[in-house]
Amino acid sequence: MQGKRRSIILILIISLSVVTSLNADSDSLWTEINGVNNGVSGFGLGLFPLGTDFEYLANFDMIPGYRHRALFSLDLSFGFGHVTLSGYDHQTGRPSWIDPSIEDAFDGQRYFRIWSQAVVFLQQGFGTNPVAGTGPLVELRLSFRSRVSNASEALSVSSDPSSSVFNKPPFDDSFEHFPAYPWLEGDRFNWNNSISFSTYWYMRKTTTRTSNYDGVYMDVTLETGPWWLGNDIWPDVVTSDYVKLSWSLTEYLTAYVSERDNGWNWVNLSFGHTNTAGYIWGDVVPEYQIQTDRLRGYLTDRIWIRFTGPQFIATDCYPYIEVSLNNNFYFGGVQNEVDASTWAMELKSSVTFEFHLRLFGFIHVRYRFGYDFIKGFLPDVPSWWQDAQLGFYVSL
Amino acid sequence: MSKRSAVILILLSTVLAPLGAIGFGYHVIEARAETDFAMGIFPVAVNYQFNFPVPDLIGGSMTELAFRLDNGLDFRTLRQNPEDGSFYACTGADHTLDYMVLYDEFRLLFNQGFWNDRFTLGVSIDGRFENAYESIAFKGQGDEGLFWDPDGNQRFDSFSGAPELAGGRSIFQTYVSAELGVDLMDDGIVTKDGLSFNSFFRITGPWMPLSDGSGDFLLSHNSLSVAKTLFSVSRSSGLEWFSVVLEGDFTYRYIHGSKVPLYVQGGELWPTWAPATEHVFTGEVSATFYGPQLTADTYLGISLFAGCGWSLGSALNSSQSGINEFVSVYGIKAELMVLDVLSLYWDWGFVNDPAFNEPQRAVSRLGFTFGV
């Protein structure tokens, strides 16, 4: 029954993709690679990518004669990497940060994860953006996601078999339920499906050639991955059963623009402010929906200042520097805790400095560092951190 | 200078050298799925190419300077005992032979076409990382793996028969490669007439810069494709209602070396394999029914095929010599190509003359590939 349901879902995805693609204008179908994950230390000298994202997009007329065309997308992505298990009791889901008596022998142990997913969505715009005077005011999107993942031995297991989290109870091959880690149930091969409905609101206009705006942007998404959508691997084991509501609101202001004689930018100065909020309900939350410290709710506030320019060589070659102040408040029950007895809240605050370099529209280099001065449940010792990423974003 | 620093320097030079010019190109050659992972529905590997802006040196023929990156997972079967190189198909094995490889291969290549690209010559500097894991079916202690027995002990003490699996099951090799191509094929997607030929050479050894010494071989891989459209019925739109095409693909692979990694050994002949010896010949002939063409690049194809392989000489990574082994297969393949981007396929094959002592068997697979 389970296999039949998944086959039906896949046949629907493929049929919808083929039919929609054949009905699209031939010149409006293109391919976009919108991200390549950063390499990780330990493989390929940490220099080469471990994941890629493809997106096929097709415009077509869903409402005959309407000024906004519909958009169909089939997004395929995959990736690999190590996952570190954190301190949650595998049977009760109780966190070690609320009950220090919980001794989780697997805290800090790693496993190797392969994941791949397909996302299809249908989108239609309505109204007119009142600030730009063109483009839709709101876009409505209906999405379906099917995601598979597998957990296996970690990279370092070749030199030390005892380092594999799956060579020890309870995660060895003795069958046991793991409510805190539903994605490690059974054969640790996971297949989750979810659907979502989103609205995107545009009340902003472009002010420069380097992605600066004036105005407001907002989105709201309701997503669910219920058990009946192919998320029950056995009659008594469910790997996903949740509902998530999320919201974001951003205000933009371009304060200063300086242009060269050829219309290219010397330097821009812009400000922005973003709030996000969300909450996730449900007894079984899959791995890709686990939130910070597993708390169900979040409310964030971010304010930034950005210096952009100059453009050089080509219009799509430019650097920008961004400084932001971030305050993140997490609250609510603990995801995948069986008795739902824990309720907690925490605040994390940081200042972040980012340097970005965009080259020829498809190379994006990012280096950033930050200072965490309030660290939530972690020992409240302020600390510096840094990371870097190289990405490729291409439209054909 | 450390190996990491040297590779960073090479990559930065590759990317930054042409910054003074405008017109980078970039395309996906192929994305692959594996039938062992989620029924072959989801992709796990991609091969993509960055084209640097260079002028055509010969009018009417393409000059290509490119950086190619192939990245992903590969699901493999170990055919030879890693400790002595003997073929499991002769001696048998008491454990699984499947394993999984995470790989990255990069190539900095230069190709020049001649006579309207009917003839092509190319050279490249290449590198490849690999790390081998147990298969995704392996779940930990108590389970049957290739590298680990159910008690959690390492199964093999030495890896002379599979040098890329020694130590931490990790390699980094660099190569020099050259390629020659002849294209006299009139390829109308669902009608084909003519022939094409490709010859690929690759060499590496401990003397190659940055290489970790896990590979030492000289490879020559040669392939010939011929096709003839037996008949076709055209629509008024210029598309074909259907066509029948007779095709033949033939390869000869020669390897000489003391450390030959599995990925380069060749001998693929779905749904079986030709043993990895110095000389391997494979051939497949097929009759394909195409049609109808829904658009110029959306169509259905169903093929009946028969193939054979012939392995001669010494076994690779082994002292076993004097091998003379023949294998043969036949079956049917069905493919739905959508917009020349997405290919959905279902194949069924029967191995009527397997290698050594393997039994006859039937195999089927379902999956997709896509590329632009």
Side-chain angles (χ1 to χ4, degrees), chain B residues 267-283:
Chain B
E268 292 84 8
L269 182 69
W270 191 84
T272 189
W273 57 289
T277 56
E278 283 180 299
H279 306 272
V280 175
F281 299 86
T282 63

Side-chain angles (χ1 to χ4, degrees), chain B residues 26-282:
Chain B
Y26 172 46
H27 64 274
V28 178
I29 297 172
E30 183 187 35
R32 286 189 298 102
E34 289 278 356
T35 52
D36 289 343
F37 184 76
M39 302 190 302
I41 299 295
F42 295 85
V44 292
V46 60
N47 187 0
Y48 38 95
Q49 176 170 311
F50 301 85
N51 298 308
F52 298 127
V54 292
D56 292 335
L57 300 178
I58 299 174
S61 295
M62 185 174 69
T63 302
E64 185 179 47
L65 177 64
F67 181 74
R68 189 175 292 178
L69 186 60
D70 190 0
N71 158 246
L73 286 179
D74 193 14
F75 293 77
R76 294 182 182 165
T77 300
L78 191 66
R79 306 290 189 188
Q80 293 170 264
N81 188 321
E83 293 184 308
D84 59 12
S86 61
F87 285 104
Y88 280 126
C90 296
T91 61
D94 60 353
H95 53 83
T96 180
L97 300 178
D98 296 330
Y99 66 108
M100 179 172 67
V101 171
L102 179 59
Y103 72 92
D104 265 316
E105 177 167 318
F106 62 88
R107 302 184 64 193
L108 180 60
L109 56 89
F110 175 80
N111 288 330
Q112 176 59 56
F114 301 91
W115 298 303
N116 295 321
D117 291 328
R118 290 197 178 100
F119 184 79
T120 307
L121 283 175
V123 293
S124 64
I125 302 292
D126 317 319
R128 186 179 180 96
F129 299 97
E130 279 193 5
N131 210 102
Y133 294 83
E134 290 282 7
S135 76
I136 57 175
F138 177 79
K139 297 305 173 188
Q141 188 163 327
D143 208 352
E144 185 70 61
L146 171 60
F147 303 107
W148 302 104
D149 67 19
D151 297 324
N153 300 315
Q154 296 209 47
R155 193 179 297 279
F156 306 111
D157 295 325
S158 63
F159 289 88
S160 60
E164 75 269 29
L165 301 180
R169 302 185 221 151
S170 181
I171 63 169
F172 177 44
Q173 300 171 358
T174 52
Y175 321 95
V176 175
S177 303
E179 197 163 11
L180 178 155
V182 177
D183 185 2
L184 300 174
M185 182 75 77
D186 180 11
D187 190 348
I189 300 181
V190 297
T191 58
K192 296 184 175 82
D193 291 283
L195 65 87
S196 64
F197 173 78
N198 181 272
S199 192
F200 179 78
F201 303 90
R202 173 169 279 186
I203 187 169
T204 187
W207 42 268
M208 277 296 291
L210 301 176
S211 184
D212 63 4
S214 60
D216 187 2
F217 63 85
L218 167 67
L219 164 72
S220 169
H221 188 277
N222 309 279
S223 61
L224 172 69
S225 296
V226 295
K228 174 65 179 172
T229 302
L230 297 182
F231 60 89
S232 62
V233 177
S234 299
R235 299 161 61 181
S236 57
S237 60
L239 304 177
E240 303 289 338
W241 273 118
F242 67 88
S243 59
V244 177
V245 180
L246 195 62
E247 294 177 83
D249 294 292
F250 308 94
T251 67
Y252 165 62
R253 193 274 290 136
Y254 169 75
I255 293 181
H256 176 76
S258 59
K259 294 180 180 178
V260 185
L262 195 141
Y263 86 90
V264 81
Q265 291 180 4
E268 292 84 8
L269 182 69
W270 191 84
T272 189
W273 57 289
T277 56
E278 283 180 299
H279 306 272
V280 175
F281 299 86
T282 63

Side-chain angles (χ1 to χ4, degrees), chain A residues 45 155 167 187-188 394, chain B residues 4 26 133-134 139 141 370:
Chain A
L45 305 178
L155 198 68
N167 277 351
D187 63 0
R188 296 195 286 276
V394 180
Chain B
R4 179 187 169 92
Y26 172 46
Y133 294 83
E134 290 282 7
K139 297 305 173 188
Q141 188 163 327
F370 66 95

